[in-house]
Each structure stands twice: as structure tokens, then as C-alpha cells.
Amino acid sequence: MTTAPARAGWRFRQPSVIPGFGLTLGFSLAYLTLIILIPLSGLVWRSAALGWTDFWAIVADRRTINALQISFGTAFAAAAINVVFGTLVAWVLVRYRFPGRRIVDAMVDLPFALPTAVAGIALTTLYAPNGWIGKLLMPLGIKVAYTPLGIVIALVFIGLPFVVRTVQPIMEEIDKEVEEAAATLGASRFQIITRILFPGLAPAIVTGFSLAFARGVGEYGSVIFIAGNLPFKSEIAPLLIVIRLEEYNYPAATAIAAIMLALSFLMLLVVNLVQSWSRKRYG
Amino acid sequence: MADPEIKSYEPHHESQSAAVTESRPVRAVLMAVAFAFLGVFLVLPLIVVFNEALAKGVGAYTEALASPDTRSAIRLTLLVAAISVPLNIVFGISAAWAIAKFEFKGKAFLTTLIDLPFSVSPVISGLVYVLLFGAQGLLGAWLKAHGIVILFAVPGIVLATVFVTFPFVARELIPLMQEQGNGDEEAALSLGANGWQTFWYVTLPNVKWGLLYGVLLCNARAMGEFGAVSVVSGHIRGLTNTMPLHVEILYNEYNAVGAFAVASLLAGLALVTLVLKTLLEMRYGAEIAATRGH
């Protein structure tokens, strides 16, 4: 085991009697580097090797921009829908008592456990013009399968547990006494929800939204079946990467992947900033 | 350990004023909306899977599952999970030991890196290996010269699966071991146990349910992964087709019964995972730590 000689004021690790630091940290770092870091930096390296003009030509291509718009737009819409219904589901699970609550609670994790391809073909069958739900929507002139709306439906399915599981524990921690105090001071239920409950939940809701959004942007398996995959209309960015790979157009696949990664990280950064702002704002 | 059912009833008093809870009709409406939403988005897709699988009777269902291509897809999925899950278990335990038992510089950064695969699109997770090992890849020429096949073969599928399931075990164990502290291990060591004995007889029993929980989630994702595996597999029927990929092929051939028959197996796996997960949470909630969800 390697312990750096103790320099005044700075040491790599605090002394401990527990053995195995060098072995476990060494193995973990080696495994992380081999499996994750080297392959990911390969992607960065390959897109840097493209050069700015080539990179920009691929990214500014109308089909690429359309695919990115569809991916980010549908993921945003789905995450917004999930914020509303996910928060409601969490509220019902935390505040109300009803038979079978534990089963409903367990079901919320289904999208984590169900393989995305299975979700994809099941949702497509449901929302196809002759499917159980598609049949009902047809007379109303609403087409879901093979349109961007279908993508949103698939992403709502995928993202739901992210919102519920982020908001639920925070809701459970809310002290009822605060609500009671507000009530005795004459606040209406509406005031209590908007002025007391919501500010406390806002950071969790933002986190849930960003997790669902990030997952939705990259989602592939559940979307490609229901989307119809028409270029410029319902073609998502991950699918465009796969199409470029199948054409052996590695530079294009790499560039689209790099821009997706960059946008995702940028988004996470913005979300973190919003979150620290809301934490300051609402304490 | 407190029974979670009893605990969750505790803060509720029946004599609640209208300002502390919603009125009865409002409550009914909220619950109805929530159930309708869950019914449409979660329950119906699940019913559709089994309904379509059995649409032409049990005979057609078992026939679809007995086809050689389906069987080889099932075998490959089991093989890939059998390799990649243990790899991530070893990594998860090792990373959790280093991060939870010791204080060192850069710990937060390391924890962030471990979570990285969750924020990468599955397609990109596959793509990075294609860029590395593909014919035009960085190592492509070298691999070809040495006759090593990674892409469009089992090693590539395993690598992609390891990538996407990388964080599951580690992120379950790290908070749990941090919560438990070092007291037990220090006691064992002071009584003369060596490091390995301390891990095997003290730490592992302490975290076994949390570990099982992480393994359960890791396995579900390993067997169900689609995007990453799809990119590296090459879709060779009977050879590099995992179950989710086989679902896609059958579905695109308009073989609905076949596709949904294989899908029903995966849906069954998901249901078993959910049941076991719920049982673990109910029975050993405290020993899994406050890390529900992902």
C-alpha cells in the first residue's frame, strides 16, 4: 500500500487502520479508466480530429439539427408532463391511504425494470391506429403512433419514475406541523400548497425534471418503434447516429454523438445552477 | 426494525381540518387522475405484451419460444448477464470499499465519474466501442492483425453491457457503507482479523441485502439493454442476437406473436425484479439504506 509521506497541511488521504485502500482504489480506477474513460475520450479525440469545419458541416446539416430539435423538444415535453403527473402520483402515494398502495408504489418502477424494446413494441401496439388506445383517438383525429406525439408518449413512460422517485422522499419528509401552523394562522389550502409545500418541493421537482429530460434525450429503444422514424419529422438524434454508423459514416456519427454529449452536459450545468438558485431563493 | 407500514400511518390523524388535507371530493379526483395515468402508461403496456403473445393461443406461444433463434437469443442474454454482472459486482464492492471506508482527495469527483454512464445515451455507449474496436477504429487494424474479434461478437456485447450497467452496484453500496461507518471493521481488526477476514465476515454480511438490491437492478438492465448492444452486436441471427434485439427483428418481420412471446419473457423478468425489489425494501429497508430509485 502506498501512503504518501505526510507533508504538512496536505495529504492525499486521511490515515486509517483499515487495509485495502491501494488495492481497491487502484482496481476501481483501472476498471473505470478501461471501461468508461478511455472509450469516452476516444469519442472526444475522434471528434476533435475532425477539425472545426468538418465538424460544423455535420452538425449544421439540416437533418442533424432537425433530429436534435426533435430529441430535445420531445424530451422536454415529456419531462414537463412527468413533472405534473409524477408529482401528483407521488402526492397520492405519500399522503393518501388506500388498499394496494404498496403494489401501486412498486409499479412506478416498472419503466426501470422493463426492457426499453419491450416498452417500445407494447406502446406502439397500443397507440397504432388499430390499437386499444389508437382506436379511441382515431375518430378525434389524433394520431400518436409514427408521429412526434408517439415519441413523447414513449418518453413519458421512460421518465415517470425519475420524477416520482425524486419527489416522493422529499414529500415524506415534509413536517405536517408546518402545514398545521399555517392553517391555524388562517392560510387556505391553496395558499399552503403554493406558499409552503411547493417551495420545499421545487428543488426535487427540478432534479426529477432534469433526470427525466436527460434520460429522454438519449433514449433509443422505446422510441424507435413508435416514432415512425421519418427524417425531418420523427427522427431522433440517437437514431441518426445509428443510421450514420450503418452507412459507415463514422465522422458524422461521432460528431452528432459529441454534440449530444456537449448539449446534455450543458443542460445539466444549467439545471445545477437553477437548483442552487432555487435553494437560495427558497432556503 | 420498524415496520414501514406502521411507520407510514403514524403522522396521519383522522381528524384533519380541511386546510391540512384536501376535501374528500378533491382527494377522490386526484386519486382518480393518478390511477388513470398509471393505468394508461404502466398497466396497459404490460397487459398488451401478454395479450399479444397469447393472441394466437398457447400453442403458437410455446412454438415461438421453441424456435432455435429464440433459444440462442435466450442463451446469449444469459451468458452476457453472467459475465457482465459479476464484473460490475467486483467493481462495485471495490469502489465502495475505497470510497466509503477512506477519506481521500478527489472522492466526490470519482463518485461523479462512476455515475457518468447514466447520463450517456445508450447508443453513444455502444458507439464509443465501435470507434475503438471497429474496422476504422483506433485499435481496429491491430486487432485484425492479431485475429482478435471484439465487435459484432460476444466480447463487444459484454463490454457495452458492462458500460451501461456500470454504476448500479457501486451507487447502491457506497451510501450504505458510508452510513454504516468503520466501527465494525475497526473492532474486527483490533481483535486480530486480517483485512480479507474483516471484509468476508464483517462487511459483507452487513451489506448483503443492499448488494443483492444493486445486483437485481444491474441484472435487469443487463438482460434488457437494447441501444448499446444494438450498436455493437451486428444483429447476426442465432449468433449475436440478444433477447431484446431478437424482439426487434421479429417485430420488424411482422411476427407479432414471436416478438411478444420473447417480450413476455423479458416482461416476466421485469415483474420478478419488481417483486423481489419490493420484498427487499419491505423486509430489509433499513439495510438497503435510503437509496430508493436511481
Side-chain angles (χ1 to χ4, degrees):
Chain A
M1 213 179 355
T2 51
T3 314
R7 265 183 291 156
W10 196 94
R11 53 176 69 202
F12 173 57
R13 77 171 175 106
Q14 307 287 316
S16 163
V17 295
I18 294 182
F21 179 69
L23 176 73
T24 54
L25 185 69
F27 174 77
S28 303
L29 286 177
Y31 188 81
L32 177 78
T33 308
L34 281 177
I35 300 285
I36 309 289
L37 298 182
I38 290 180
L40 270 183
S41 29
L43 174 70
V44 175
W45 188 78
R46 286 286 288 246
S47 50
L50 276 177
W52 188 243
T53 6
D54 286 352
F55 183 82
W56 193 246
I58 296 163
V59 172
D61 178 53
R62 214 165 70 78
R63 192 166 167 191
T64 311
I65 290 186
N66 263 296
L68 288 170
Q69 275 172 348
I70 290 164
S71 274
F72 280 82
T74 52
F76 189 91
I81 292 171
N82 272 329
V83 158
V84 175
F85 287 97
T87 309
L88 174 66
V89 168
W91 182 258
V92 167
L93 287 173
V94 171
R95 287 299 175 100
Y96 303 156
R97 292 294 163 264
F98 50 90
R101 189 177 62 93
R102 198 165 270 290
I103 297 171
V104 176
D105 193 56
M107 275 298 288
V108 169
D109 279 336
L110 180 73
F112 283 153
L114 194 70
T116 52
V118 177
I121 62 169
L123 289 171
T124 311
T125 307
L126 266 180
Y127 288 94
N130 58 352
W132 291 347
I133 299 179
K135 228 185 314 194
L136 300 177
L137 297 175
M138 214 40 187
L140 306 172
I142 304 171
K143 270 196 210 151
V144 177
Y146 319 123
T147 69
L149 198 55
I151 305 178
V152 175
I153 295 282
L155 295 183
V156 168
F157 173 85
I158 292 297
L160 176 70
F162 288 95
V163 175
V164 178
R165 293 305 183 222
T166 321
V167 174
Q168 197 179 12
I170 309 298
M171 252 179 207
E172 273 163 5
E173 277 170 23
I174 293 177
D175 198 347
K176 274 220 137 179
E177 281 171 22
V178 182
E179 284 171 71
E180 281 160 11
T184 54
L185 292 170
S188 69
R189 186 66 191 153
F190 180 75
Q191 283 175 317
I192 293 176
I193 288 174
T194 52
R195 298 286 186 82
I196 295 175
L197 294 177
F198 182 73
L201 292 175
I205 291 176
V206 172
T207 309
F209 174 88
S210 64
L211 290 174
F213 184 40
R215 175 68 204 264
V217 167
E219 179 56 24
Y220 176 71
S222 59
V223 172
I224 53 161
F225 296 98
I226 201 168
N229 306 327
L230 292 171
F232 306 112
K233 283 209 175 73
S234 58
E235 183 178 67
I236 54 167
L239 177 69
L240 191 56
I241 296 177
V242 172
I243 290 174
R244 294 303 185 223
L245 265 182
E246 279 167 0
E247 296 166 352
Y248 297 102
N249 189 348
Y250 283 25
T254 311
I256 301 167
I259 199 78
M260 270 189 78
L261 276 182
L263 287 173
S264 303
F265 287 135
L266 192 71
M267 196 189 72
L268 283 179
L269 191 73
V270 170
V271 166
N272 277 334
L273 289 176
V274 169
Q275 223 168 2
S276 64
W277 173 81
S278 81
R279 229 177 261 134
K280 261 183 223 142
R281 169 86 171 71
Y282 296 110
Chain B
M1 189 181 49
D3 185 343
E5 270 308 316
I6 293 170
K7 202 176 120 240
S8 55
Y9 273 110
E10 184 226 352
H12 286 262
H13 309 291
E14 270 317 300
S15 59
Q16 283 164 338
S17 82
V20 185
T21 186
E22 291 74 39
S23 65
R24 224 165 228 293
V26 173
R27 246 192 289 181
V29 168
L30 290 183
M31 280 171 76
V33 172
F35 292 155
F37 180 79
L38 293 177
V40 168
F41 275 93
L42 301 183
V43 181
L44 272 184
L46 206 53
I47 295 173
V48 160
V49 170
F50 292 100
N51 186 59
E52 291 288 318
L54 296 168
K56 289 188 181 142
V58 179
Y61 176 76
T62 47
E63 203 175 300
L65 290 183
S67 91
D69 285 347
T70 302
R71 281 170 176 263
S72 83
I74 296 172
R75 267 197 304 273
L76 180 61
T77 292
L78 294 176
L79 174 71
V80 169
I83 301 171
S84 45
V85 174
L87 279 175
N88 280 337
I89 293 176
V90 173
F91 164 74
I93 291 174
S94 162
W97 184 273
I99 289 173
K101 299 287 173 202
F102 301 94
E103 290 302 322
F104 58 92
K105 297 272 191 278
K107 200 156 112 163
F109 183 60
L110 179 58
T111 317
T112 312
L113 284 183
I114 290 175
D115 272 348
L116 199 59
F118 277 162
S119 39
V120 174
S121 169
V123 167
I124 298 178
S125 312
L127 170 72
V128 293
Y129 290 111
V130 175
L131 294 180
L132 213 54
F133 301 125
Q136 305 177 34
L138 298 175
L139 300 174
W142 186 87
L143 288 174
K144 201 169 179 195
H146 290 77
I148 304 171
V149 182
I150 292 182
L151 223 53
F152 312 129
V154 177
I157 298 175
V158 170
L159 276 173
T161 307
V162 167
F163 188 109
V164 293
T165 59
F166 188 84
F168 279 103
V169 178
R171 68 178 321 186
E172 194 58 46
L173 285 183
I174 292 169
L176 178 60
M177 281 166 68
Q178 272 172 338
E179 205 177 72
Q180 289 179 342
N182 292 349
D184 290 358
E185 283 77 10
E186 282 161 5
L189 289 163
S190 73
L191 291 170
N194 65 31
W196 181 248
Q197 287 169 325
T198 307
F199 168 72
W200 194 253
Y201 295 108
V202 177
T203 309
L204 200 56
N206 275 346
V207 300
K208 62 175 183 287
W209 299 116
L211 178 62
L212 188 61
Y213 191 86
V215 170
L216 202 63
L217 300 178
C218 182
N219 180 64
R221 181 71 193 265
M223 289 190 171
E225 178 52 30
F226 179 77
V229 169
S230 160
V231 171
V232 297
S233 102
H235 305 272
I236 308 165
R237 267 184 105 120
L239 277 180
T240 63
N241 248 350
T242 61
M243 284 167 79
L245 298 181
H246 198 50
V247 168
E248 184 198 18
I249 287 190
L250 293 173
Y251 186 81
N252 287 341
E253 287 172 349
Y254 301 101
N255 181 353
V257 170
F260 280 99
V262 180
S264 74
L265 295 183
L266 291 167
L269 170 77
L271 288 177
V272 169
T273 303
L274 284 186
V275 169
L276 291 177
K277 182 174 170 294
T278 309
L279 288 178
L280 278 175
E281 280 164 6
M282 284 166 74
R283 181 74 185 79
Y284 302 104
E287 288 153 75
I288 300 173
T291 50
R292 307 225 1 231
H294 303 261

